[in-house]
Amino acid sequence: MSKLAGITALGAYAPSKVLTNADFEAMMDTSDEWIITRTGIKRRHIAAEDEFTSHLAISSVADLIRRHGEGALAGVDMVIVATNTPDALFPATAALVQDHFGLKAGAFDLLAACPGWLYALSVAKAYVESGMCRKVLAIGAEALTKVMDWQDRATAVLFGDGAGAAVVEAVPAPYGLKSFVLGADGSGANQLHIRAVGRCLPSGEPLAEHLYMNGREVYKFAVRVMNTATIEALQRSGLHSDEIALFVPHQANLRIIEAARERLGLPPERVVVTVDEYGNNSTASIPLALAHALDAGRISDGDNLLLVSFGAGLTWAANVLTWGGAWHQ
Ligand code: COA
């Protein structure tokens, strides 16, 4: 069997400034009790005034180097930054990261909302396994708090900032990125949006100046798609949920995570939860959760992991992978 692409190095970063639920209580008509009961969120990390997505992305790569050494970046020939909040419409944030680390690599941004980092992993897999690239640096980085309406209690309390980065390259069997499920349903574009250079959706509905979300509709969509996408990814991988050592879902809402975990029949100790600490930081949420799980010693070589995410578009993505196989481990 030819080699699969797999994650051989990981890094993550969250800004040091934290907003607690008590901070929000002081800012608007909300309560710690409401936020915790509805979402499970206690704190979120907020980028500094002069800290943007490229800075967060670079800090996550710096963390990757700290964990794995400079050698982890040697031979990276493509940089992908999955983000909804690029520093600029152009140049790509990925080009800023490429320049910062002096990489001899192509660079582009990828926009697929919160599942963007999983989409980036799928692109990295295709590049590596086709022989087009040797190593891909796949980053999820988000400065979402820059585009929030700080008067809107229904969205402001939910989101945070952060970044995560992975090196993807060929790994020996049985390791690597296995099945992917990637989906989109643009008919739900009106449920979650923010303006860039356009004014309206094709339906004529105006695009929002700040992040707009129909929380109830997105909730229903999330619960449904977390279920269908994970089942399909498991089926495609030939694995049963019993064989999943760790479930790493998008960190948007604890109730959505719990619903997905229960449908999969997994015990609580086999799911990673970081939404209490970070809120929803979109493309950064899964790599940050993976970094936490690694730091806590919850992931070993040979473990099968199940990743899943959902977001604006509407989009979704799920992946089954077998962790390990890195030359430096
Ligand atoms: N504090 C206090 N009350 C709040 C509030 C806050 N921060 N935000 C909203 N409310 C109020 C609403 O105004 C509403 O009041 P009303 O009944 O008087 O109109 C009430 O709480 C209930 O709102 P509702 O939307 O029914 O709450 P909910 O149980 O659906 O929870 C979300 C709201 C946003 C937490 C939930 O819908 C959700 O998590 N949706 C999915 C969001 C998501 O995952 N997004 C990620 C996309 S990547």
Side-chain angles (χ1 to χ4, degrees):
M1 198 177 84
S2 61
K3 284 182 170 183
L4 293 181
I7 295 173
T8 58
L10 192 87
Y13 172 78
S16 54
K17 183 180 171 191
V18 166
L19 279 184
T20 65
N21 291 349
D23 294 328
F24 276 98
E25 284 178 337
M27 283 158 59
M28 55 178 65
D29 179 17
T30 189
S31 68
D32 179 49
E33 196 264 333
W34 191 97
I35 300 171
I36 289 185
T37 324
R38 303 288 175 123
T39 71
I41 298 168
K42 296 177 183 159
R43 294 146 55 89
R44 56 300 274 152
H45 293 242
I46 311 287
E49 218 166 298
D50 56 353
E51 192 177 28
F52 297 94
T53 296
S54 62
H55 304 119
L56 304 174
I58 286 165
S59 296
S60 71
V61 178
D63 181 58
L64 183 150
I65 292 170
R66 186 183 61 74
R67 290 165 184 259
H68 300 271
E70 292 275 352
L73 289 192
V76 165
D77 44 5
M78 186 60 69
V79 181
I80 308 173
V81 174
T83 185
N84 306 287
T85 48
D87 290 19
L89 287 177
F90 55 83
T93 304
L96 307 180
V97 176
Q98 171 276 325
D99 180 53
H100 182 90
F101 292 100
L103 299 169
K104 200 165 177 291
F108 67 99
D109 288 359
L110 185 157
L111 199 164
C114 298
W117 189 69
L118 293 187
Y119 269 75
L121 287 187
S122 76
V123 174
K125 173 180 168 70
Y127 275 164
V128 168
E129 291 177 13
S130 69
M132 197 180 288
C133 291
R134 190 178 144 214
K135 277 191 186 182
V136 178
L137 182 58
I139 301 168
E142 220 62 77
L144 268 175
T145 64
K146 308 284 184 199
V147 297
M148 301 309 301
D149 176 355
W150 289 96
Q151 314 299 319
D152 179 10
R153 64 178 184 171
T155 52
V157 300
L158 302 176
F159 295 91
D161 302 325
V167 171
V168 176
E169 63 187 304
V171 290
Y175 306 109
L177 297 162
K178 296 188 168 145
S179 56
F180 271 95
V181 172
L182 303 165
D185 175 9
S187 72
N190 57 337
Q191 308 298 356
L192 189 46
H193 54 81
I194 183 165
R195 220 187 115 187
V197 295
R199 283 205 198 119
C200 296
L201 291 165
S203 60
E205 285 172 71
L207 284 159
E209 288 294 328
H210 294 99
L211 186 149
Y212 166 81
M213 181 172 71
N214 181 340
R216 271 181 217 182
E217 285 307 311
V218 173
Y219 189 94
K220 284 191 262 177
F221 154 73
V223 170
R224 178 168 50 79
V225 87
M226 295 271 268
N227 180 39
T228 52
T230 49
I231 288 172
E232 202 180 331
L234 282 170
Q235 276 168 353
R236 288 188 193 180
S237 72
L239 294 176
H240 187 267
S241 61
D242 285 353
E243 297 166 276
I244 296 300
L246 213 52
F247 175 44
V248 191
H250 178 41
Q251 304 290 318
N253 182 311
L254 187 57
R255 289 189 295 158
I256 296 173
I257 294 172
E258 279 297 291
R261 180 187 67 72
E262 280 170 20
R263 291 291 281 273
L264 287 163
L266 294 173
E269 60 273 17
R270 279 205 261 158
V271 60
V272 180
V273 175
T274 53
V275 69
D276 52 335
E277 175 63 28
Y278 296 114
N280 178 352
N281 49 30
S282 192
T283 56
S285 107
I286 292 184
L288 253 168
L290 278 173
H292 265 253
L294 280 168
D295 289 346
R298 296 178 71 191
I299 302 178
S300 306
D301 265 22
D303 279 353
N304 296 315
L305 311 185
L306 173 60
L307 319 179
V308 66
S309 185
F310 62 90
L314 301 165
T315 58
W316 58 93
N319 167 243
V320 173
L321 67 92
T322 303
W323 188 263
W327 60 268
H328 41 70
Q329 282 180 342

